[in-house]
Amino acid sequence: MNKNKVLAGIDLGSGSIRLKIMQLTDKGETQLLENVTRTIAIGKDTFASGRISPDMVEEVCQVLIGFKRLMSEYKVQVKRVVGTSAMREAENSDYVLEQIRVRTGLTVELISEAEERYLTRQAAFAAVPDFREKAAKGLLYTRIGSGTTQIAAYTDKGMNFSQTTQMGTLRILGMLSSIEGQTLRYQDVMEEFLISNMDYILRKGRQQSYTQYLVSGSMSDKIYEICKGKAPRKTSGKISFQAFNKVYRSMLSMSAADIAEQYGMEMERARRMIPTMMIIHTVSSYMKLEEITFSFAGLLDGILWELAGTKESEQQRSDSMADILFYTRMVADRFQCDQAHSEQVEKYAMMLFDAMQKAHGLTDRHRLILRMAAYLHDAGKFMNITDHAEHSAQIATSLEFSGITTEEQRMMATVIRFHEDVELIAEDPEYQRLGRKNRLILSKLVTFLRLANALDYSHRQKFTAVKVNVTGGRLVISATAHQNATLENWKVMGFGESVSDILGLSLELHIKGGE
Amino acid sequence: MADKKWQDTSLFMNREMSWLEFNQRVLNEARDPKNPLLERAKFLSITLSNLDEFFMVRVAGVKDLIHEDSEKPDPAGLTPKEQFKQIAARIHVMMEDVYSVYHRILIPHLKREGFRLVTEHGLKDQDREYLGHLFETELYPVLTPMAVDPSRPFPLILNKSLNIALFLKDAEGERHFATVQSPSVLPRLVSLPSGSYILLEDVLTLFMGQLFPGHTVEKSAYYRITRSGDLSFQEEEATDLLKEMEKSLKQRRRGDAVRLEISRDAEEDLVKYLMDALELGKQDLYLCDGPVDLSFITRVSKVMPLEFLKKPDLIPQTPGDLLGKEDLYAAIREKDILLSHPYESFQPVVNFVEQAADDPKVLAIKQTLYRVSGNSPIVQALSRAADNGKQVTVLVEVKARFDEENNIQWAKKLEKAGCHVIYGLVGLKTHCKLTIVVRRDEDRIRRYVHMGTGNYNDVTARLYTDIGFFTCKEPIGADASALFNALTGYGDPPDMRKLTAAPLGLRKKFLSMIRREADHARAGRKAHIIAKMNSLLDPEVIQTLYEASGAGVQIELIVRGICTLRPGIPGVSENITVRSIVGWLLEHSRIFYFYNDGNEEYYLSSADWMTRNLDRRVELLFPIEDERLRERLWDMLDVYLSDTQKARLMASDGSYAKVDGRGRPVVNCQEYFYEEAVERAHAYQQENVEERVFIPLEAETEENEYKDQED
């Protein structure tokens, strides 16, 4: 844990650059020292021309130099600087990052949308003290942004689903302006539109019972302040749906300028008020939720949370891995995978992975990916049995996982894609493109999955008391069969050559019993 | 908000007239026999220098409006022409009063103490001889007589200088005008061998003939010109004046004469000549019933040993909250600290920065500096801090009115030492007084904050009353940091919880607090506002106060200077009282109290209720939440409201009168506060000082050694 340290995080977003400096006291408490936002529309450049202009780079550097000075005032020891969509999507992002590095000395990390989602969500949950209890009662989570809105659902078992819809406030604003002119009851029309876009999720949601609603996003603190009448003091706060509804109704008849004037905020924020409230209202009323919890934590908080490395954040990290796995199992369920087979494959894959830990040197992230691959490898059979591995890989690619990076997701999908075939691996163009380090990782993971899958090829769970041993250059798998296991034997030994190539071990399978 | 009712011009005083009444109160101190003689002389001098500035800025501004043919009335309904007429009439009366004080009070009293001021007639022979010698050796070399004729234009007479105007006759009998400045490099009061004194200009007159060979001096008179000064007026009246300017497309005429002071016995044609040359009218002319420019009167104390006629200097005491505390920072951690200057010493504020400069635990120092001199100990401490590796950020206000010494020089020095210096903000004067010290204490990083109602100037801290506040409470530290970040350009204006800043929301805050009090009153609850400030001018605030009074809020205002609100108007302001306190020290602190139905709120601020403070300056309003300190502020306000000596109550017609002290204890608030501070320090001394005379120093015993051996 970074005890007694001063941490800092900087987020270069589309509309602003933010700095937070946090102190960890020796008692383990966190204290926010500085919270600075500098409005600067980096996104305007990127979204308009696809590039970040030199003037903008100059301005960004100026702001960062100021932030650097602030950080040196507190003698910040640990820091992380990240850039999100506006920087990521700019054509010249490489050059811009280099410029920033040269002129300010700060190295900006571009994080993927997935990681952004993950960190934001971590922060949102960390900010709610009784999050796990709430999840146990069935919790819906929405994060409302200007580009997208994420919806996720949690039960006590973990995350049920998670989707990013394109229903961000900017998009809604665009629609509002065209509908407003046509009807007085535009809010009803908008809500219908929102529901149709989130239909699947919300319908599914209604089948479980969700009693808790958690909202996060940059407008949260202002909405809370308006509904409650005073600024938030803690990291999260509750509002009754009644109180929220009252404010929502009165706001519908106000213009953005009125809102800015009456509630004291800039026009930019005032414009996003109604669309944000609309989304919250749609979800709350459709799901008949009585209370809304607002979390005021955002990406930066997530970054600092991780940097702090407290016990809580470690716990949360392992919780989120559990969430990912739970979700993966749910997805597999949806595609009607053979659960018993998947569990077996997972078990065998883990045994193989753990037995050869020293030899392969892979990380617990790879272990996670292998587990996920084990669950999803047959999902494609739902589409078509022929080339099901290909279909499974596509499913794995198009799903939304928060908590693994894009690369990790790609790796998992590729592992799935190769779990059947023996020969094609070396010639495959995508395999070539991976680069040496990743090719090695991929090969090892594929081998484990292939072997594990082969051990239950018949889907009949023929083996008990399976043991994996690595001794004297040999990979020895021993098992007790209670049925004829010729098929499994043939399939497993068929991978003998690749095991020898990739793992440098000779494969041996000893089966006791059976016929 | 444009309620027609409040457009009624009878509800507002004219600003300039209100200021003139303030200046009258200063002059009245010269009349007060309770003040020591030399203090009374000082008040006379202050009255005159105040008038100088008034002419240079305010009168010049009004004359400009007239020149631009502006007919726009002020909130009190007066057009510039009407204002000027009233101002001129009032000042003429005031000057009569000034000379009355001089002749009837100061001179007789000084005479009694042995000070004799003579003119030519009172000179002894030895004096004449001495003066002749003085003229030749010291005066003559520095004189620059200037003649005027068709080929030479009227010379540029220096603003506020004392001059002699002459009509000369040459050999042909032609008349010429000439002028000589009485040199300001030489002392005005000339000490004579006979023990008397004579004014320098009278010496000049004696030997005038020598200055103009070939001419005879026909007529002469002493005179003084006041010229228009800087642009502050323009800024004060903001958009109105600017619009007028733009319309007429004329350049503002800077540097024009706005007043001519001349001896009453000056010949009419000499006066006329000057007035024509300076383009002045009858209302600009002030005939002096005595020496022109009486400011020399304060110099008397320098030339004669008259200490006993002065008020003894105030000795700033150790602040009550800091008695017995060695470590300032530890004391602040223990509890919030309030300092009442100058009764309580300003030194802790200087120490705050000086200690920080050398403390290895301090990470950073941030401060706003307004009207600070370059050799101030604070500036030096900041420089040292930067040398010692601290991160120092300073927000300097370089454009402070007339005392425009080169602030830029020392600011650049700070920069060279490694400080991050910001030379003011575009369009805003930084008027708030704020210091933040970031320190890594044993357990965590803390922000120690100082805020005050007065400037970080150890010199003025002895002449003005102000209140300062130290705290290290986190919410205030966070707000102060966030505000500083916005001022230094790092981030957007912050949402603050405890502090309120102008121009970010201070106006709104003040208005909402007054309106909240009005709501309480309307609901039948007790409602009370006490506010102390230097000037009350803002029309919107005044309107809101009128409304609150109408709702039943009891409003007690302590306004030192200008007040354009009219108290005691039936149906409008019957619940409002206004008093002004002008005394030995210049009242400068700003305190705001709201009863708020029992949830009392106390605030201190750097801002007055003036438009410029609320809209065009960076100002700070901060709450005092410590119960102990709130009680202290309540007591202070109580003392101010109980003053029977120096307080003057304002009537609805704008006149001020003494407080009726019958049946009430005699209270002079400034003396009370001083005595209180002295008492507190004294009491502490009594209780805590060692009585022993002989305190032996012994070597440490070596008991432990034996103990160890036993084991």
Side-chain angles (χ1 to χ4, degrees), chain B residues 283-336:
Chain B
Q283 288 171 311
D284 305 315
L285 174 68
Y286 291 82
L287 300 171
C288 303
D289 286 308
V292 174
D293 187 6
L294 295 174
S295 60
F296 68 87
I297 202 75
T298 49
R299 306 249 109 219
V300 176
S301 63
K302 298 269 169 18
V303 298
M304 290 187 70
L306 296 171
E307 289 307 309
F308 62 97
L309 290 174
K310 267 199 221 174
K311 192 173 186 81
D313 280 337
L314 180 149
I315 304 169
Q317 302 293 305
T318 307
D321 285 346
L322 292 174
L323 288 164
K325 307 275 187 235
E326 296 283 333
D327 181 354
L328 177 61
Y329 285 84
I332 299 173
R333 275 198 300 280
E334 212 187 309
K335 55 182 192 236
D336 292 348

Side-chain angles (χ1 to χ4, degrees), chain B residues 240-267:
Chain B
D240 296 332
L241 178 55
L242 285 173
K243 282 208 196 104
E244 297 294 313
M245 297 296 214
E246 280 156 24
K247 264 192 235 161
S248 64
L249 292 173
K250 281 186 193 152
Q251 282 280 358
R252 184 167 188 266
R253 300 192 317 189
R254 212 164 311 142
D256 289 346
V258 292
R259 172 178 63 169
L260 172 66
E261 294 167 279
I262 192 164
S263 357
R264 189 174 280 286
D265 59 8
E267 296 277 0

Side-chain angles (χ1 to χ4, degrees), chain B residues 109-231:
Chain B
H109 278 97
L110 285 169
K111 221 169 178 175
R112 240 173 275 157
E113 303 303 333
F115 174 77
R116 292 185 66 246
L117 187 65
V118 299
T119 57
E120 189 184 349
H121 311 290
L123 289 174
K124 305 273 195 297
D125 289 331
Q126 44 171 332
D127 297 332
R128 283 182 193 275
E129 208 185 300
Y130 170 75
L131 287 177
H133 181 73
L134 184 76
F135 180 79
E136 246 180 72
T137 52
E138 295 197 33
L139 266 182
Y140 188 74
V142 300
L143 293 174
T144 343
M146 293 184 282
V148 175
D149 63 37
S151 69
R152 280 177 285 202
F154 194 80
L156 184 70
I157 307 296
L158 214 54
N159 184 24
K160 300 196 282 182
S161 62
L162 182 59
N163 304 273
I164 309 177
L166 306 140
F167 272 147
L168 302 169
K169 209 167 21 181
D170 67 10
E172 279 91 41
E174 294 273 312
R175 185 190 250 192
H176 300 280
F177 176 82
T179 179
V180 185
Q181 184 189 332
S182 179
S184 50
V185 294
L186 297 171
R188 181 100 179 270
L189 269 177
V190 181
S191 154
L192 295 168
S194 65
S196 305
Y197 290 84
I198 188 171
L199 290 172
L200 190 64
E201 62 263 28
D202 286 331
V203 179
L204 267 183
T205 306
L206 269 179
F207 302 101
M208 195 60 73
Q210 291 185 31
L211 289 176
F212 303 97
H215 293 75
T216 44
V217 176
E218 258 198 325
K219 298 162 186 185
S220 71
Y222 303 132
Y223 75 100
R224 182 172 185 259
I225 298 178
T226 317
R227 296 188 182 283
S228 70
D230 68 355
L231 285 164

Side-chain angles (χ1 to χ4, degrees), chain B residues 540-558:
Chain B
E540 198 182 8
V541 175
I542 293 176
Q543 285 167 6
T544 314
L545 288 168
Y546 283 154
E547 279 163 14
S549 165
V553 181
Q554 188 199 359
I555 303 174
E556 296 179 283
L557 301 174
I558 306 163

